Amino acid sequence: MLRLKKDIDFYGHRKIYYTISICLVVLAAVCALIFGVKVDIQFTGGTIATYSYEGDLDFAAVESAASEATGFSVTSDSSQSVSGDTKQISLSIGAKDGMTVEMEEQLTSSLTEQFADNNLQYVSFDSVAATMGRDFLFKCLIAVLAAFLLMIIYVAIRFRRIGGWSAGVTGVIALIHDCLMVLSVFIIFRLPIDDNFMAVILFILGYSINDTIVIFDRIRENEKLYGKSMEFPALVNKSISQTFTRTMNTSLSTLLAMVSVCVFAVIFGVNSILSFAFPMVAGLISGFYSSVCLSGTIWAWWKDSRKKKGRKPAKAK
């Protein structure tokens, strides 16, 4: 187990941490402007057509044939059972008003005929109205905003004796950073924004704030111990250094589990799991980084800046 023998100057290197985070966000913004953001039909509305198949299927050819048959844009996703006996392809069709029974029959007839060698068989059609998708997205965003607000209130009450409101706000700033990092992964790796995205966001919110609260709790304990004999930035450095091993071990154990899930998903071609586990890995790394390098240093910078502003300039003699 790694133990830090001396305090690390996290506060002194804060500008490096802030620059790294800003650069990553800018990179994601540039990718979003150039390539756009893929949004799943769960939010935009559309139809998911699922078919089973055998052998090796040309997904690009299926997408092209489905697009030609329906007249809508089509993207595909594949899955496979653990035993490898059942293979399925899911076609996301951008028909915001849904597809008629005749259109579904025409699509199925066209695909089963063109890909008869793969024994392509109909499994299911699931339609999502655009209004339902927007309502679902709106409710997800409300849940995230409510989580931010409740966390600010909780941290403010728990650490009220050492500036709880500023601690709550800086903790949420770190969480917003984690959300942006997860969003960056979806944008850069061209993953569609879907229910997996919201699940990862909500999980990371709870996981990351837990590490942050552990650090804040140690800051509170050290503040009682050292009082005014130690400046707040130095107090933050000591507290982060003391909790570094615990935070790293907790994050590493969870990270190894999620990496194993990613490997499993890649081996068996379960893309629906991979689109959840891979962003989760990035979110866990970001959560560790924001808790250790951002939350405490932003809080210390905030309090130090307010302290300097509160000092009155000395009068000239």
Side-chain angles (χ1 to χ4, degrees), residues 144 147-149 151-152 155 168-182 201-212 286-287 290-291 294-295 298:
V144 173
F148 284 153
L149 179 60
M151 287 176 186
I152 290 176
V155 174
V169 172
T170 53
V172 167
I173 290 174
L175 292 179
I176 293 174
H177 165 273
D178 296 335
C179 293
L180 291 175
M181 291 300 102
V182 172
I201 289 293
L202 292 175
F203 178 87
I204 294 301
L205 289 182
Y207 192 91
S208 180
I209 196 64
N210 179 65
D211 288 338
T212 300
S286 177
S290 65
S291 296
L294 298 181
S295 57
I298 294 175

Side-chain angles (χ1 to χ4, degrees), residues 3-21:
R3 293 186 182 277
L4 300 180
K5 296 182 179 180
K6 62 178 182 179
D7 297 342
I8 298 176
D9 188 11
F10 291 99
Y11 184 77
H13 297 92
R14 66 189 184 282
K15 292 183 179 179
I16 297 176
Y17 307 143
Y18 304 162
T19 302
I20 292 173
S21 297

Side-chain angles (χ1 to χ4, degrees), residues 102-121:
E102 291 76 12
M103 294 174 65
E104 294 176 0
E105 292 176 349
Q106 181 181 352
L107 173 62
T108 299
S109 176
S110 176
L111 293 179
T112 53
E113 180 180 348
Q114 293 186 51
F115 300 94
D117 293 340
N118 297 103
N119 192 26
L120 199 71
Q121 298 292 328

